[in-house]
Amino acid sequence: ASGVVLTFAIGLLAVYLTLPDSDYSFLKLPRTLQDLHILRDNLERYTSDYTIQVLVGYCTVYIFMQTFMIPGTVFMSLLAGSLFGVLRGVTLVVFAATAGASSCYFLSHLIGRPLISSLWPDKLVFFQDQVAKRRQGLLNYMLFLRLTPTLPNMFINVASPIVNVPYHTFLLATCIGLIPAAYVTVKAGITLGELQSIGDLYDITSIGTLFLIGLASVTPTLISKKMPS
């Protein structure tokens, strides 16, 4: 865990040293929409001229937050939409979220069992039972979990290696299952000034879009399961 923290710290330091001399007091993890507005307004000045540095810094912070279960990635997804637009924003968020979830998966595989057993003992038993019952259609189940709020994504990342979810199944379900929520959040980031609260993200239109994209994501797997071998 210390090695992972050190790696992220070195990456962020390298990004910081390649940016021009300026006042970077605005650089902090956003906790409110006001924080996010300040961060967006300042980063817009650097994004066009220092695109690589901004991208590397963004991904490093996002992956770090996912790895160590730090709340606030929804603000980072909004920021991606505001800075990079829908297509590049969704691609960036899905990549960073999947990489962060994978980092959390492997870290949990090494040291996560005592942590999750103390924090979520009931959820762990439930998840373990469900995974054991659904071994034949585990990808479908993992997609379902990613597309619905049945279990928190944070919990899924930490618990999956403990209950023996294979990494390739975890990776595929994560990469596909995060697309709908990423799309809705990134799209909302384009009109960041119109948001009054995080709850505004999920209006009727957004929920409908989320459902349709989620259905499209899971349909190929459902069809392949019904096809005769």
Side-chain angles (χ1 to χ4, degrees):
S2 300
V4 173
V5 171
L6 181 61
T7 300
F8 283 118
I10 293 173
L12 288 174
L13 179 62
V15 170
Y16 177 78
L17 292 176
T18 57
L19 288 172
D21 292 336
S22 182
D23 177 15
Y24 293 108
S25 59
F26 64 87
L27 286 176
K28 65 176 183 177
L29 293 180
R31 296 300 183 200
T32 65
L33 285 177
Q34 183 179 3
D35 292 342
L36 186 60
H37 281 292
I38 295 172
L39 185 60
R40 186 275 311 272
D41 292 343
N42 283 278
L43 283 180
E44 278 183 335
R45 294 183 297 162
Y46 299 99
T47 302
S48 58
D49 295 331
Y50 299 92
T51 305
I52 299 300
Q53 289 92 329
V54 173
L55 284 173
V56 172
Y58 177 92
C59 289
T60 302
V61 171
Y62 202 121
I63 294 170
F64 179 83
M65 293 174 71
Q66 284 279 78
T67 299
F68 292 98
M69 302 181 292
I70 300 172
T73 52
V74 63
F75 293 111
M76 297 296 290
S77 298
L78 288 168
L79 181 63
S82 185
L83 292 177
F84 303 108
V86 174
L87 182 59
R88 288 189 297 172
V90 169
T91 302
L92 187 62
V93 168
V94 171
F95 165 77
T98 302
S102 298
S103 179
C104 185
Y105 177 99
F106 289 114
L107 190 61
S108 178
H109 181 71
L110 295 175
I111 61 173
R113 185 177 292 275
L115 175 66
I116 196 169
S117 297
S118 61
L119 290 178
W120 299 293
D122 295 336
K123 280 189 176 68
L124 181 61
V125 171
F126 170 79
F127 190 31
Q128 196 163 27
D129 289 344
Q130 293 300 312
V131 168
K133 291 176 183 177
R134 302 171 190 274
R135 283 290 172 191
Q136 297 303 316
L138 190 54
L139 179 59
N140 284 344
Y141 179 60
M142 294 299 293
L143 276 170
F144 170 77
L145 292 181
R146 288 301 193 187
L147 294 166
T148 65
T150 306
L151 290 172
N153 280 325
M154 182 188 304
F155 171 82
I156 296 170
N157 295 342
V158 180
S160 290
I162 307 302
V163 299
N164 298 318
V165 175
Y167 176 66
H168 68 275
T169 302
F170 174 87
L171 177 65
L172 187 58
T174 300
C175 190
I176 296 174
L178 292 179
I179 293 174
Y183 174 80
V184 170
T185 311
V186 168
K187 189 170 182 293
I190 296 177
T191 55
L192 187 59
E194 299 177 10
L195 284 178
Q196 300 299 316
S197 70
I198 294 300
D200 294 341
L201 287 173
Y202 300 104
D203 56 17
I204 294 177
T205 303
S206 296
I207 292 174
T209 303
L210 191 64
F211 173 77
L212 290 175
I213 297 177
L215 185 62
S217 298
V218 76
T219 296
T221 304
L222 295 176
I223 293 175
S224 64
K225 185 179 179 182
K226 293 181 179 180
M227 291 178 62
S229 56

